[in-house]
Amino acid sequence: MSKRIFAALGLGLIFCVFSSLTVQAAPLIPVPNINVGVEAANNPQDVALSLQVLFVLTVLTLAPSILIMMTSFTRIIVVLSFLRSALATQQMPPNQVLVGLALFLTFFTMSPYVEQVNQNALQPYLAGTINQEAALTEGMKPMREFMLKQTRENDIALFVNLSETPRPNSPEDIPTTTLIPAFVISELKTAFQIGFLIYIPFIVIDMVVASTLMSMGMMMLPPVMISLPFKILLFILVDGWHLIIRSLITSFH
C-alpha cells in the first residue's frame, strides 16, 4: 500500500516539475501572425495605390532586361566573353567576375545619361512638379539619345519596314519599340567586329604552335596546352586589359 502511495506522489511530483518547465519555457513575446489577402477597395485611392504597387513590381521584374537591352552592357559582356574564348582559359576569369566588370563599366559609360534622367525626370517627379507620364517621357529622352548614337541607320530602317509604319522624318519620330531592337542588333554587330579583331593575334599563336608541333612529330600533344602560356604572356606584355577596356569605352563616343 505504501509503495502505491510513494509511486503516486512521485508521479505527481514529476507532473508538477514538467508543468513548471513548460510554463517557464513559454515565450514572453508572442509570435506575430502575418496574413496576406485580397480585400475590396473602399475608395479610389486604394485602387490607385494597388496599381502603383503592381507597376513598381513589374518594373523591378523587367529591370534586368532594361539594363541589358538599353545600355552598353550587351556590347561589353559579349566582347569580354570573346576575349575569354580567344585566350582559351576555360572559366578564367569566372562568369561572376566578367558580369561584375561589365556592370561597373556599364555604370561608368551610362553615368552622364543616368544623371540627366535623375535631374530631368526622377527629381521633378518626386517633388511633384510633373506627373508620371511626363516623367517617363523626360526619362526616355537621354536613353533614346544614347541608343540613336550607337544604332546604324540600316538597322533602324529594317525594323521600320518590318513594322510597316510611315517613314520617320526625324530621329524623334522613331518609336521606342522600333529603336530598342535596332539598337540591340547594332550592339551585337559591333561586339562581334571587336571580337574578330581580338581573335586574330591568338589564332596566329595557335597556328605557329600547331605547325611547330607537327614539324617536330608531336602529333599527340594538344597544341592548346602549349599555346596557352604564350597567349597569356602576350596578353600581359601588351597590357591587354588596358587596351580592351579603353577600346570598349572609347567605342561609345
Side-chain angles (χ1 to χ4, degrees), residues 24-35:
Q24 291 178 1
L28 299 178
I29 301 176
V31 178
N33 185 16
I34 301 175
N35 293 323

Side-chain angles (χ1 to χ4, degrees), residues 5-170:
I5 294 175
F6 282 118
L9 292 175
L11 290 174
L13 181 60
I14 293 173
F15 179 78
C16 292
V17 171
F18 276 101
S19 299
S20 62
L21 290 176
T22 304
V23 173
Q24 291 178 1
L28 299 178
I29 301 176
V31 178
N33 185 16
I34 301 175
N35 293 323
V36 179
V38 179
E39 298 179 356
N42 298 322
N43 49 58
Q45 287 76 13
D46 294 340
V47 178
L49 180 60
S50 301
L51 293 177
Q52 290 178 2
V53 171
L54 181 62
F55 175 75
V56 170
L57 292 177
T58 303
V59 171
L60 291 177
T61 304
L62 298 178
S65 300
I66 296 173
L67 174 65
I68 291 174
M69 297 302 170
M70 297 178 60
T71 63
S72 58
F73 181 84
T74 301
R75 183 188 305 184
I76 295 173
I77 192 62
V78 172
V79 170
L80 294 179
S81 299
F82 270 121
L83 174 62
R84 186 173 65 180
S85 299
L87 284 171
T89 53
Q90 302 300 326
Q91 295 298 322
M92 288 297 147
N95 292 330
Q96 294 84 349
V97 175
L98 289 185
V99 173
L101 178 60
L103 283 174
F104 279 103
L105 291 177
T106 302
F107 296 152
F108 180 80
T109 56
M110 299 299 299
S111 57
Y113 303 96
V114 173
E115 185 177 356
Q116 294 181 29
V117 173
N118 182 50
Q119 292 179 354
N120 301 332
L122 182 59
Q123 295 302 325
Y125 175 71
L126 294 178
T129 56
I130 59 176
N131 56 18
Q132 184 176 354
E133 183 178 358
L136 291 176
T137 303
E138 292 295 326
M140 282 300 299
K141 287 182 179 179
M143 304 304 299
R144 286 176 55 89
E145 178 185 356
F146 170 77
M147 289 189 289
L148 285 169
K149 288 181 179 179
Q150 309 302 326
T151 307
R152 296 175 175 83
E153 293 184 2
N154 56 347
D155 294 330
I156 296 178
L158 169 65
F159 285 97
V160 169
N161 294 331
L162 291 177
S163 61
E164 299 180 354
T165 56
R167 183 176 180 178
N169 297 321
S170 63

Side-chain angles (χ1 to χ4, degrees), residues 146-215:
F146 170 77
M147 289 189 289
L148 285 169
K149 288 181 179 179
Q150 309 302 326
T151 307
R152 296 175 175 83
E153 293 184 2
N154 56 347
D155 294 330
I156 296 178
L158 169 65
F159 285 97
V160 169
N161 294 331
L162 291 177
S163 61
E164 299 180 354
T165 56
R167 183 176 180 178
N169 297 321
S170 63
E172 290 74 16
D173 297 334
I174 302 174
T176 304
T177 55
T178 301
L179 178 59
I180 292 178
F183 168 75
V184 172
I185 64 174
S186 294
E187 288 292 282
L188 289 175
K189 182 177 180 179
T190 304
F192 273 65
Q193 291 174 344
I194 299 174
F196 171 75
L197 297 177
I198 291 174
Y199 257 96
I200 292 178
F202 299 116
I203 289 178
V204 172
I205 294 177
D206 286 333
M207 294 176 62
V208 171
V209 171
S211 300
T212 303
L213 292 177
M214 290 181 64
S215 63

